Amino acid sequence: MERYRYPDKSGRGGRADASRTGRVRGRAFDEPRRASSRTGRASASSQGRGFAGGNRSGRPSGRAGAARPGRPGVGAAIDAAMPTVSGRAKVLLLAFAAIAAVFFLRLVFLQVIVSDQYSAMAEESRTVSFETTPRRGTIYDRNGIVLATSVEATTIYANPVEVTDAAAEAASLASVLGGDAADYRELLSTPSTTFVYIKRQADVEVADKVKELKLDGVYFIADTRREYPNGSIGGQVIGYCNVDGEGITGLELQYNDILSGTPGTYTAERGEQGFPIPGGVKEETPAVNGQDIMVSLDIKLQDTVEQALAEGVKDLETEEGSSIVMDGATGEIYAACSLPYMNPADMSSSQVGSESVKAITQAYEPGSTFKSVSALTILEQGTMGPEDTMFCPSSISADDYDVSDSHERDGETYSLREILNHSSNVGISLATEQAGFRALYDNIKRFHFTEPTGVDYPGEAGGNVLDFDNWAKITGYNVSFGQGIAVTPLQMVRFYSAIANDGALVTPHFLISKPQSGEVAEWESEETGVDESVLADMRSMLRSVVTDGTGAAADIEGYEVCGKTSTAEIASEEGGYKKEVYNIGFCGFIDNSSSNLVCFVGANEVYAMRQTTQIFNDIMENAVKQYNITSMPSN
């Protein structure tokens, strides 16, 4: 057997056979270790082993010269590998090994456990993503005239990382887009972002001028912008959208789901320093455009109504008023507005309270226009006919309250027709009491005055009245002439439509159809069961109000105008009613004609006794000409 020679501490060689050294299990051949300080010396056999031997007493265990493997450990491994390294060096090696282990574990954590998360973050840092706006559906009036549409526009944005000279670029942008250069500079210098809007939905021509500037870090997105070609005409009905293309008021809000469509997505890759990669669009999901709708509004008549209302209210020396024109047979609303008007094309000029049609969204005490409900109740109960008479004193009392007419008079004997002609509070109170207040309450419920009409317009108000169980005698008197009950003008229009059109209670509405799909909207109507003879008597009495009573200024030569005026007191915040200031109104229609239009005109906070009948006349005379309404006089 071949022998190997090992150096000992003195430099002289010793001998060992290869079979014994093989038990070192592949370690390098080592020098014998120094004797343990605890034993004073070590046997030659222990010095020749690769691992330091010995039991706890310091004496070698087992047979001399026998190599027995001990339990491996980090420290033991270092001792065996480098027996001559000092203790301090071994501490450093242990520390290094610990640090290496920490880095190794961290590497495993990053590459295995959270690799997907960091990969996603890295990808995000290389891309710019945003939603693309779909083309919003067009709103057409009943004649196909565009009320609201979306036009091509360009959104301008910037990546501040790429901007090389924020001050110079800001000045260039201001020269084309207008505005303050300092504002653009702030945007272009925005820290910790790669995307800021410079101008959303700019005119395409304006955006093209910005493109010609070739500014670093400034980019462009094809977009659309909402436009309202008719300005303030019909603006309250149509409503408006915000810059994100979401309906905020009016029909834009009511039918937002149909008009808005579905946004798309756009994701573009960026290279080093955030610069876009040419042709590097990573993903683009096209937006789904919204659907068009056709509504019942007639923008030409709407213009007529708005002008007549604005001029008439000015003549009445007030600032607030409203009007509705509706087809009483179908419920289609041809025109609706309230002052002040709103211009969706320029919301910066809009006034507070202009965003909705208050004739739909606000209830009020209707006053004498509600006397028609009481008169209908009286006729149905059969306690009085149009020509039946009763004595009407100058005033009556109930529950410590006095009821009188709006003008002083002596006691008079009036027929039911004359009670409406003179708009007598005393007369209608006594006649309704005779018919029964319960019957009046039942008709309030029957014609749904305490419920919204269901019109497709956001924010509709409902009416309200005390439960009948809580009515006192004075409550019955007050309600009979339109106090102590709240309704909307639209509810009054629907009631007068029922009188004009065989008792059918229609659902007021704007939506007619969806042109792209060919879908035609369907709306419910309800038969109220009012006898035709009662309706005929009602129309006859309402005609007398115009020919012989308070509604004379509403009449149109050659036509049978029917309607009722109102001069309603206004509840005071301090209790009771305001003095010498009223909400006035007129609701009526042209009987025996080719027209089914019913029109309401009201003005608020009017001083002294005045009427809106002239405004009604101006509106309906224009309607006669526009729709070529023909008269069919009754026999």
Side-chain angles (χ1 to χ4, degrees):
M1 183 179 295
E2 186 177 358
R3 301 285 183 171
Y4 292 89
R5 188 174 299 275
Y6 297 87
D8 58 17
K9 292 179 68 175
S10 63
R12 294 191 296 271
R15 299 178 70 178
D17 54 48
S19 61
R20 178 170 295 176
T21 60
R23 297 176 66 182
V24 181
R25 302 184 65 177
R27 292 194 300 274
F29 301 114
D30 297 334
E31 290 183 348
R33 296 183 60 188
R34 293 176 180 268
S36 171
S37 61
R38 296 178 63 182
T39 60
R41 60 181 180 180
S43 67
S45 62
S46 67
Q47 291 179 8
R49 290 199 303 271
F51 289 93
N55 58 18
R56 298 182 66 178
S57 66
R59 292 196 299 268
S61 62
R63 192 173 59 251
R68 188 180 65 177
R71 291 186 179 179
V74 176
I78 294 174
D79 287 343
M82 290 178 289
T84 60
V85 177
S86 68
R88 180 175 297 176
K90 290 177 183 177
V91 171
L92 292 174
L93 287 173
L94 284 170
F96 176 79
I99 293 171
V102 170
F103 277 102
F104 175 76
L105 293 173
R106 178 64 176 170
L107 185 63
V108 171
F109 176 77
L110 294 176
Q111 292 189 346
V112 178
I113 298 176
V114 296
S115 59
D116 292 343
Q117 177 183 344
Y118 277 89
S119 176
M121 292 173 62
E123 183 177 353
E124 183 179 352
S125 68
R126 301 194 304 269
T127 60
V128 57
S129 300
F130 48 83
E131 284 189 344
T132 55
T133 305
R135 184 183 182 88
R136 191 172 176 87
T138 298
I139 302 177
Y140 298 96
D141 87 336
R142 64 184 307 106
N143 299 310
I145 297 173
V146 173
L147 303 180
T149 190
S150 293
V151 299
E152 299 300 323
T154 302
T155 287
I156 307 170
Y157 74 96
N159 179 358
V161 173
E162 302 173 30
V163 175
T164 54
D165 189 341
E169 292 192 15
S172 297
L173 288 170
S175 68
V176 176
L177 300 176
D180 194 338
D183 294 334
Y184 295 114
R185 182 174 183 177
E186 182 177 352
L187 290 171
L188 295 172
S189 305
T190 305
S192 303
T193 186
T194 56
F195 186 95
V196 292
Y197 284 114
I198 298 298
K199 177 73 174 180
R200 300 191 67 179
Q201 301 173 354
D203 289 340
V204 173
E205 296 78 9
V206 173
D208 287 342
K209 292 180 180 179
V210 176
K211 288 179 183 179
E212 293 173 0
L213 298 175
K214 297 181 179 180
L215 303 176
D216 292 339
V218 177
Y219 301 98
F220 307 86
I221 309 167
D223 205 345
T224 61
R225 183 182 66 248
R226 202 65 165 165
E227 287 195 349
Y228 302 92
N230 301 289
S232 63
I233 304 172
Q236 291 168 325
V237 175
I238 300 164
Y240 78 100
C241 293
N242 62 16
V243 73
D244 293 317
E246 300 168 332
I248 301 300
T249 66
L251 297 180
E252 291 277 31
L253 172 60
Q254 182 73 28
Y255 291 110
N256 188 64
D257 291 344
I258 296 173
L259 294 165
S260 61
T262 305
T265 58
Y266 179 90
T267 303
E269 293 181 282
R270 294 196 302 260
E272 189 176 358
Q273 300 298 321
F275 290 92
I277 299 173
V281 173
K282 184 177 181 182
E283 181 180 354
E284 183 173 12
T285 303
V288 178
N289 293 335
Q291 295 186 58
D292 302 339
I293 61 173
M294 177 172 281
V295 299
S296 59
L297 211 65
D298 184 327
I299 200 65
K300 183 177 180 181
L301 182 64
Q302 178 77 26
D303 188 21
T304 296
V305 172
E306 290 186 10
Q307 288 188 44
L309 181 65
E311 293 170 4
V313 164
K314 184 178 180 180
D315 290 341
L316 292 169
E317 301 178 297
T318 188
E319 296 180 351
E320 293 188 10
S322 59
S323 182
I324 293 179
V325 180
M326 186 180 86
D327 187 322
T330 65
E332 293 178 4
I333 300 175
Y334 280 53
C337 60
S338 61
L339 289 166
Y341 301 142
M342 183 191 83
N343 185 356
D346 181 18
M347 290 302 296
S348 62
S349 65
S350 295
Q351 301 178 46
V352 175
S354 67
E355 68 280 355
S356 64
V357 180
K358 290 187 279 289
I360 298 175
T361 63
Q362 291 185 8
Y364 77 121
E365 290 189 340
S368 296
T369 51
F370 195 79
K371 287 175 181 172
S372 297
V373 182
S374 300
L376 180 71
T377 303
I378 295 164
L379 291 172
E380 283 194 299
Q381 294 303 308
T383 52
M384 288 185 73
E387 312 308 330
D388 292 331
T389 62
M390 69 185 310
F391 179 72
C392 302
S394 59
S395 67
I396 55 177
S397 298
D399 305 313
D400 298 325
Y401 291 93
D402 294 327
V403 174
S404 61
D405 290 354
S406 59
H407 54 280
E408 291 186 9
R409 62 169 179 81
D410 296 330
E412 297 281 353
T413 297
Y414 288 147
S415 66
L416 183 58
R417 183 185 301 277
E418 289 172 325
I419 287 173
L420 285 188
N421 288 352
H422 298 297
S423 199
S424 172
N425 295 337
V426 172
I428 201 69
S429 294
L430 294 175
T432 304
E433 182 181 20
Q434 183 175 291
F437 292 138
R438 178 76 207 201
L440 173 60
Y441 180 82
D442 289 343
N443 268 344
I444 290 170
K445 292 296 185 179
R446 176 189 188 185
F447 289 96
H448 305 295
F449 279 109
T450 59
E451 307 167 22
T453 66
V455 65
D456 52 339
Y457 187 84
E460 183 191 10
N464 64 80
V465 69
L466 282 173
D467 289 337
F468 186 72
D469 291 342
N470 297 321
W471 279 31
K473 187 176 182 179
I474 190 61
T475 307
Y477 283 170
N478 286 340
V479 172
S480 72
F481 54 83
Q483 285 187 354
I485 183 172
V487 301
T488 65
L490 181 61
Q491 289 177 315
M492 292 308 308
V493 168
R494 182 168 67 159
F495 174 76
Y496 277 75
S497 295
I499 295 174
N501 294 281
D502 303 323
L505 204 60
V506 296
T507 301
H509 62 272
F510 290 100
L511 182 64
I512 294 177
S513 66
K514 303 174 185 177
Q516 290 155 314
S517 65
E519 180 181 352
V520 176
E522 296 182 0
W523 300 92
E524 294 181 354
S525 65
E526 177 184 340
E527 294 298 329
T528 58
V530 181
D531 189 83
E532 176 53 38
S533 63
V534 171
L535 293 173
D537 284 343
M538 279 300 308
R539 291 192 292 269
S540 173
M541 290 193 295
L542 292 175
R543 175 62 181 154
S544 295
V545 171
V546 175
T547 57
D548 304 318
T550 57
D555 205 15
I556 300 172
E557 185 177 356
Y559 295 86
E560 298 181 15
V561 175
C562 303
K564 183 70 186 76
T565 57
S566 67
T567 306
E569 293 182 297
I570 303 172
S572 172
E573 294 179 357
E574 289 77 27
Y577 290 89
K578 296 180 180 180
K579 302 296 184 183
E580 298 300 319
V581 60
Y582 307 93
N583 289 333
I584 62 175
F586 182 86
C587 193
F589 52 89
I590 301 176
D591 195 23
N592 297 312
S593 72
S594 59
S595 167
N596 294 309
L597 297 180
V598 178
C599 176
F600 168 88
V601 181
N604 302 336
E605 302 281 344
V606 178
Y607 287 89
M609 297 288 184
R610 305 186 188 185
Q611 297 294 343
T612 60
T613 45
Q614 185 58 56
I615 306 174
F616 172 93
N617 178 274
D618 293 341
I619 291 171
M620 294 304 287
E621 278 196 339
N622 274 279
V624 165
K625 297 174 183 177
Q626 181 174 337
Y627 301 117
N628 193 27
I629 296 172
T630 57
S631 178
M632 298 177 287
S634 57
N635 295 327

